[in-house]
Amino acid sequence: MNFKSEVEAVDALVTKYKALNAEIGKVIVGQEEVVKNVLISIFSNGHCLLVGVPGLAKTLLVNTISQVLGLTFNRIQFTPDLMPSDIIGSEILDETRNFKFIKGPLFSNLILADEINRTPPKTQSALLEAMQEKSITTGGKTYPLGNPFFVLATQNPIEQEGTYPLPEAQLDRFMFNIWLDYPTFEEEVAVVKATTTEAKFQVNKIMSAEEIIYFQQLIRKIPITDNVLNYAVKLASSTRPNTPMAHDIVNQYIGWGAGPRASQFLVLGAKCHAAINGKYAPDIEDVKAVSKAILRHRMVKNYKAEAEGLSIDAIIEKLLEA
């Protein structure tokens, strides 16, 4: 892709983003904020955790996004008996009595890790290592994964029996924790109308893998002023209890705060949020726009917050006001 300047490239990203939204909107009714955050994470080269009750089109959303982005897609249904070799692949002895590596479903551009909290920690760790390293090592050999490579994992928040909750250190690998809510009455009417007839919606490919990689590099080149960068780092620092920058509400209700990865993602997310809105540099409002989805899974409430029924989002709201 050849653009005369980064300004032209940002304008091209805005055009592509609008086209992606329009195409995804043919299949996905509502959920604009969710779609926006998933696309931001893809252009920022991050992974997403989608949390919502069954039936909110999480799987359909990921499948649709893979089609409009022209990416190879694999869905892995996580179950209690799933082994690491089931997702990364395994070595077999071929006819010539040599070991041959058979690639698992992780070797794809876009991975839907369905109900990630249903599988034991051993298999979760295999996936999360692949997310971090963008490669897997087996039998003393390292195999690179697809480029680009994204994991969109789903989690059911209501049914906790037979689940293995993700530890905080593993949750930290996800750029965004996106909560899906029930559709509005009007949106649900539109969904039911569209899905109870024989009508089929075909989505068109809007981007290629090469374009995604180009725009990922563009996002990193976008300049950011010192005051916006400092704001992002201060916001992440204010979530850490009993530290010099901790907010009073954090000292009162939070047991553990966000690490430095949160600051990195706040800056990257703000850059991408600015770019898709046609701005050539992010401001503090862009940091605020992505802050909840980045911070909510990196802060651990204490017993007092649990007892008073205070949500993480309410605490983040207070930090943003401050």
Side-chain angles (χ1 to χ4, degrees), residues 272-299:
C272 191
H273 188 271
I276 62 173
N277 285 292
K279 294 191 284 188
Y280 306 116
D283 55 30
I284 285 172
E285 291 309 309
D286 292 304
V287 178
K288 288 182 175 180
V290 296
S291 59
K292 279 187 188 173
I294 288 172
L295 295 175
R296 62 165 63 113
H297 56 301
R298 295 183 161 88
M299 297 166 67

Side-chain angles (χ1 to χ4, degrees), residues 87-318:
I87 64 170
I88 65 175
S90 57
E91 286 194 326
I92 63 161
L93 205 60
D94 65 11
E95 309 82 43
T96 58
R97 290 181 168 266
N98 289 317
F99 281 105
K100 179 183 172 185
F101 180 65
I102 303 295
K103 292 179 177 180
L106 268 191
F107 287 85
S108 200
N109 295 128
L110 188 59
I111 305 297
L112 171 59
D114 227 347
E115 296 196 275
I116 189 174
N117 56 333
R118 289 227 166 274
T119 206
K122 195 174 182 179
T123 309
Q124 287 177 5
S125 297
L127 172 71
L128 292 155
E129 182 189 355
M131 286 165 57
Q132 185 68 20
E133 308 300 333
K134 303 283 174 83
S135 64
I136 61 128
T137 303
T138 181
K141 288 182 183 173
T142 300
Y143 299 91
L145 295 170
N147 188 24
F149 176 74
F150 310 106
V151 172
L152 301 183
T154 70
Q155 198 170 305
N156 179 351
I158 51 172
E159 198 181 341
Q160 295 308 322
E161 197 174 322
T163 61
Y164 305 82
L166 286 170
E168 278 67 36
Q170 294 185 339
L171 279 172
D172 196 46
R173 306 273 174 91
F174 290 97
M175 178 177 183
F176 280 153
N177 179 347
I178 303 171
W179 288 356
L180 284 85
D181 216 338
Y182 290 112
T184 62
F185 177 78
E186 291 77 14
E187 286 170 353
E188 193 161 347
V189 167
V191 168
V192 174
K193 265 186 188 174
T195 55
T196 53
T197 65
E198 289 186 338
K200 294 274 186 240
F201 293 100
Q202 274 299 111
V203 291
N204 301 308
K205 177 181 163 183
I206 302 295
M207 290 180 82
S208 65
E210 291 72 26
E211 286 176 297
I212 294 167
I213 293 165
Y214 175 84
F215 286 126
Q216 285 175 345
Q217 292 164 349
L218 173 72
I219 295 301
R220 288 184 171 268
K221 289 177 189 169
I222 287 174
I224 184 168
T225 58
D226 284 347
N227 71 309
V228 177
L229 190 132
N230 289 342
Y231 176 81
V233 177
K234 278 178 187 171
L235 180 59
S237 301
S238 71
T239 68
R240 301 163 193 162
N242 306 315
T243 59
M245 287 191 179
H247 191 278
D248 289 344
I249 197 170
V250 167
N251 288 330
Q252 203 175 351
Y253 293 112
I254 295 295
W256 202 256
R261 200 177 268 141
S263 302
Q264 295 168 338
F265 283 144
L266 283 169
V267 169
L268 273 176
K271 283 183 175 190
C272 191
H273 188 271
I276 62 173
N277 285 292
K279 294 191 284 188
Y280 306 116
D283 55 30
I284 285 172
E285 291 309 309
D286 292 304
V287 178
K288 288 182 175 180
V290 296
S291 59
K292 279 187 188 173
I294 288 172
L295 295 175
R296 62 165 63 113
H297 56 301
R298 295 183 161 88
M299 297 166 67
V300 181
K301 293 189 290 184
N302 60 19
Y303 292 116
K304 190 176 181 185
E306 295 286 359
E308 293 184 22
L310 197 63
S311 72
I312 285 287
D313 277 22
I315 295 168
I316 297 170
E317 282 283 351
K318 293 282 185 192

